[in-house]
Amino acid sequence: MKKKLAAALLTALTAASLSACGSQDADSAKGTQDNADSQANEEQDDSEGGASYKVGIVQFVDDASLNQIEKSLEKGLDEKGKELGVTFEYDGYVFNGQADATVLNQIGADLVADDVDAIIAIATPAAQVMQAAVEDTQIPVIFSAVTDPVTAGLVEDLNEPGANITGTSDALDTNAVFDLMFAANPDIRSVGLLYSKSEDASAKAIEEAKAYCKEKGVEVTEKTGTTNDEVSLGADALAAAGVDAVFTPTDNTVMKAELAIYEKFIDSKIPHYTGADSFALNGAFLGYGVNYEELGAATADMAAEVLAKGADPAKTPVQMMDNGIATVNIETAEKIGLDYSVFSDLCETVKEIKTAEEFE
């Protein structure tokens, strides 16, 4: 009411000034009036709503885990916006790179050209491309589900990233997965490793898997692929080799192919141990790791801290999520005849799931 009254008084004063000064000052007075009205309107708009931030969301590929993160991320941004009295605008700025570097680079260039206030990148390859895209700008990048941010070259240190980038990690406890594997079958003599060499997220876990097997005196057979067809051929080769179990870390390439390969392992009675619950959803025997819905929400919180509260990404520690949830596909377990009751003593939580394409 006070702002409206002030605008009205200013209008009256301006009108009086126009009468006194004559026509030669009409244009100047009109400009004064327009500026005053504009300022009053801006003040009124500010009083009715807070700041607005454009947020680009870039997902590496379409798979169950990353889709779950993206949905949780949008929900989290909406909730934080209401809590803080601001708006996070992401409609029209949500993209999926479909595991194509060319597409991801174009998305990054477009978001920079659109002058977004921040980019949230889901999965390691997307984060790497977005980091390069914003190199000559002040646009912060908040990543989600990056398994090993240091090895991927995204941050210098988990506690002090050192650049305009930070985020959440779904780092995998590889030894814990193998502890479950050998608890279910102490007589394992050979393990297959199925992964993509093109994903930095898999590198550390594969080295840890090799070290674990070497200590156990267990033979390792490696098969890799960068496409669904190559992953499928790798699964065929591991089944033909008669390995006792197969391990895949948080590898998006294999995750994308899981629905096409899980029956191959079932037919060969080979349990597939993996680094995310989405693998189990898509038919693998076991997925181990973080809760991706919680990870998406945590990423939204970090983005809000950076944009609305001025947190410095370079000094904001990478958030490591609790890693101890075993998700077992009970249909697969029954078909391969493997008892997983021992798992409850070895991890934080055991969840049971049935085969589906997406989480509900």
Side-chain angles (χ1 to χ4, degrees):
M1 179 67 72
K2 290 181 177 178
K3 290 176 183 174
K4 292 181 179 179
L5 180 59
L9 289 172
L10 186 56
T11 302
L13 289 172
T14 304
S17 177
L18 284 170
S19 298
C21 298
S23 60
Q24 67 179 18
D25 291 330
D27 290 340
S28 175
K30 184 178 183 298
T32 301
Q33 172 62 37
D34 289 343
N35 289 336
D37 288 345
S38 175
Q39 183 176 357
N41 288 335
E42 286 179 5
E43 289 177 356
Q44 188 168 2
D45 287 343
D46 288 341
S47 70
E48 293 173 354
S52 181
Y53 304 97
K54 289 194 297 185
V55 181
I57 300 176
V58 184
Q59 183 174 325
F60 172 57
V61 72
D62 184 24
D63 70 40
S65 281
L66 303 192
N67 292 344
Q68 188 179 32
I69 292 169
E70 201 279 324
K71 290 178 183 177
S72 177
L73 183 58
E74 288 190 11
K75 179 182 178 182
L77 288 174
D78 291 342
E79 290 176 349
K80 292 301 293 186
K82 290 178 181 177
E83 175 187 328
L84 299 173
V86 301
T87 302
F88 297 110
E89 297 180 12
Y90 54 79
D91 285 345
Y93 301 106
V94 180
F95 299 94
N96 192 312
Q98 296 300 344
D100 188 316
T102 301
V103 173
L104 285 168
N105 276 295
Q106 186 60 55
I107 291 170
D110 289 345
L111 288 173
V112 170
D114 285 338
D115 196 25
V116 295
D117 295 299
I119 298 176
I120 300 176
I122 305 173
T124 303
Q128 290 171 319
V129 174
M130 294 308 111
Q131 183 186 43
V134 304
E135 185 175 6
D136 297 325
T137 76
Q138 296 299 311
I139 300 172
V141 173
I142 296 91
F143 56 74
S144 184
V146 171
T147 303
D148 189 355
V150 176
T151 299
L154 294 171
V155 302
E156 295 177 5
D157 183 90
L158 294 177
N159 291 319
E160 290 211 12
N164 205 25
I165 183 169
T166 189
T168 60
S169 174
D170 61 346
L172 179 65
D173 186 343
T174 307
N175 287 353
V177 178
F178 275 79
D179 287 345
L180 295 176
M181 184 187 295
F182 281 84
N185 181 10
D187 298 325
I188 288 176
R189 294 291 175 265
S190 62
V191 172
L193 305 179
L194 182 61
Y195 63 101
S196 171
K197 285 185 176 180
S198 66
E199 293 200 33
D200 289 338
S202 295
K204 182 178 179 181
I206 291 299
E207 290 306 313
E208 291 170 342
K210 290 178 182 178
Y212 189 106
C213 290
K214 182 178 181 180
E215 186 175 339
K216 286 274 191 180
V218 171
E219 181 183 351
V220 169
T221 301
E222 293 182 70
K223 296 297 175 182
T224 63
T226 57
T227 65
N228 279 16
D229 288 343
E230 290 175 356
V231 171
S232 186
L233 289 172
D236 286 334
L238 291 175
V243 296
D244 296 312
V246 173
F247 169 70
T248 296
T250 49
D251 190 300
N252 292 290
T253 302
V254 180
M255 173 65 250
K256 185 69 175 173
E258 187 64 37
L259 282 168
I261 66 173
Y262 79 96
E263 291 179 327
K264 299 175 185 289
F265 293 136
I266 288 177
D267 292 343
S268 301
K269 306 297 183 186
I270 299 173
H272 189 190
Y273 291 81
T274 67
D277 58 358
S278 53
F279 286 94
L281 176 75
N282 287 175
F285 167 64
L286 177 136
Y288 184 90
V290 306
N291 182 311
Y292 282 98
E293 188 173 358
E294 292 179 358
L295 184 141
T299 308
D301 287 347
M302 293 190 78
E305 288 290 325
V306 170
L307 289 172
K309 296 187 177 181
D312 182 359
K315 297 179 181 179
T316 301
V318 173
Q319 185 171 343
M320 312 299 290
M321 307 299 293
D322 290 337
N323 189 323
I325 303 171
T327 302
V328 176
N329 186 308
I330 57 176
E331 295 172 327
T332 298
E334 182 179 358
K335 289 175 182 178
I336 65 177
L338 193 59
D339 180 14
Y340 58 90
S341 59
V342 67
F343 291 173
S344 60
D345 296 327
L346 297 173
C347 54
E348 179 184 316
T349 305
V350 177
K351 294 184 176 180
E352 296 180 335
I353 203 168
K354 292 183 178 181
T355 306
E357 186 173 348
E358 293 284 346
F359 289 101
E360 293 181 357

